[in-house]
Amino acid sequence: MVRTPGFLADQVMKSAHAATLVSRRDLGHGLLELVLGSDDFRGATFVPGDSTAFRTGRTEFRHYTPARLDAERGEMSIIVHKHGSGPGEELILGWSDGDPVAVCQWGSKKNFRWEDGSTPVMVVGDATVISLVMAFGDRCAAEGRPFSALLEVEPGDVEATLGLVPGTTVVARDGAHGLEAEAWLQRHAGEIDSTTTVYLAGHGQSIQRQRRVLLDLTPIDRRGIRTQPYWADGKTGL
């Protein structure tokens, strides 16, 4: 996990939104839904791909991608994948309904942000990318823009994932991370339009392999592939 100098971490927290945990609901085998409420969220906006963060230590933050922001109710929802350990998971599992939660201001990284247009959008990733797929899918549906997504999740999470993102291609992980999604891309490469912007997120090593498949087997230009690792083997977070 990237560490932030203490004085900068304190500055970040001064501008954080004061929220409360509205609900925390288990979904499937390794997924849970967080709903956070704040008056600051009323009338607020966010761009698909924005990420927020929770402070997990003196110099550490854990980043999450909002799935939806209900500006009328003042509520933000996030789908969290439980890895089984880690500072972010320990923090979230320690919360109870009604507990205060400091939600850092959200934003997108320059090389991985939503861009307006009419060309197709595709998102590929693992269970940590479900919120991103929901956000992108909602925006594309609102704009009438072609959208597709491919998610590789644990077998016990396939049904819950399909319920969260109807119409998305969901494959069950069998073996090393990313292999099933990579195989699907290889089989269906010829069906991907050359004008598609593809967002690859989630497991760092899988992203590298998936990007190679797209460059080798599809007509998509490398400038049409955006990457954002959320985690990698041997690391607690990125």
Side-chain angles (χ1 to χ4, degrees):
M1 179 178 294
V2 177
R3 296 179 183 275
T4 303
F7 74 95
L8 289 179
D10 292 341
Q11 289 298 116
V12 169
M13 296 308 296
K14 286 181 180 179
S15 61
H17 302 287
T20 59
L21 179 66
V22 176
S23 65
R24 188 188 65 208
R25 181 168 63 106
D26 285 313
L27 308 169
H29 171 73
L31 304 176
L32 60 84
E33 178 192 54
L34 295 179
V35 179
L36 303 164
S38 173
D39 285 339
D40 290 350
F41 300 163
R42 298 184 187 276
T45 60
F46 87 119
V47 177
D50 280 353
S51 64
T52 184
F54 307 128
R55 193 177 193 175
T56 58
R58 177 74 182 95
T59 62
E60 296 179 347
F61 292 84
R62 196 76 165 100
H63 294 82
Y64 296 91
T65 304
R68 294 190 172 111
L69 178 63
D70 188 329
E72 291 187 4
R73 295 173 61 89
E75 293 183 350
M76 172 186 289
S77 61
I78 302 172
I79 305 300
V80 176
H81 174 246
K82 296 184 291 184
H83 288 278
S85 63
E89 189 166 325
E90 293 171 3
L91 176 72
I92 289 170
L93 293 180
W95 292 339
S96 298
D97 290 0
D99 279 355
V101 178
V103 179
C104 294
Q105 292 190 12
W106 51 85
S108 300
K109 293 189 176 181
K110 184 177 180 180
N111 64 338
F112 198 81
R113 59 176 53 162
W114 170 267
E115 291 186 2
D116 292 326
S118 58
T119 55
V121 171
M122 183 178 189
V123 179
V124 180
D126 54 28
T128 64
V129 184
I130 294 174
S131 279
L132 182 71
V133 169
M134 293 170 68
F136 271 69
D138 285 353
R139 182 65 170 265
C140 284
E143 297 184 0
R145 189 172 182 179
F147 176 76
S148 61
L150 168 63
L151 289 169
E152 179 185 294
V153 302
E154 298 295 330
D157 289 330
V158 170
E159 184 177 352
T161 302
L162 286 169
L164 290 166
V165 287
T168 290
T169 299
V170 180
V171 296
R173 184 168 79 88
D174 182 17
H177 290 285
L179 293 184
E180 296 305 316
E182 182 181 351
W184 189 96
L185 286 173
Q186 291 172 338
R187 293 194 303 270
H188 297 271
E191 303 169 18
I192 302 175
D193 188 276
S194 63
T195 64
T196 303
T197 300
V198 182
Y199 294 82
L200 305 176
H203 180 230
Q205 289 86 349
S206 297
I207 289 172
Q208 295 173 13
R209 298 195 304 269
Q210 292 160 4
R211 182 176 182 273
R212 190 70 262 163
V213 170
L214 292 171
L215 291 175
D216 289 346
L217 301 181
T218 76
I220 296 175
D221 186 272
R222 65 180 63 249
R223 291 170 296 182
I225 303 173
R226 314 293 168 80
T227 62
Q228 180 59 64
Y230 290 163
W231 66 285
D233 294 336
K235 296 184 179 181
T236 57
L238 295 173

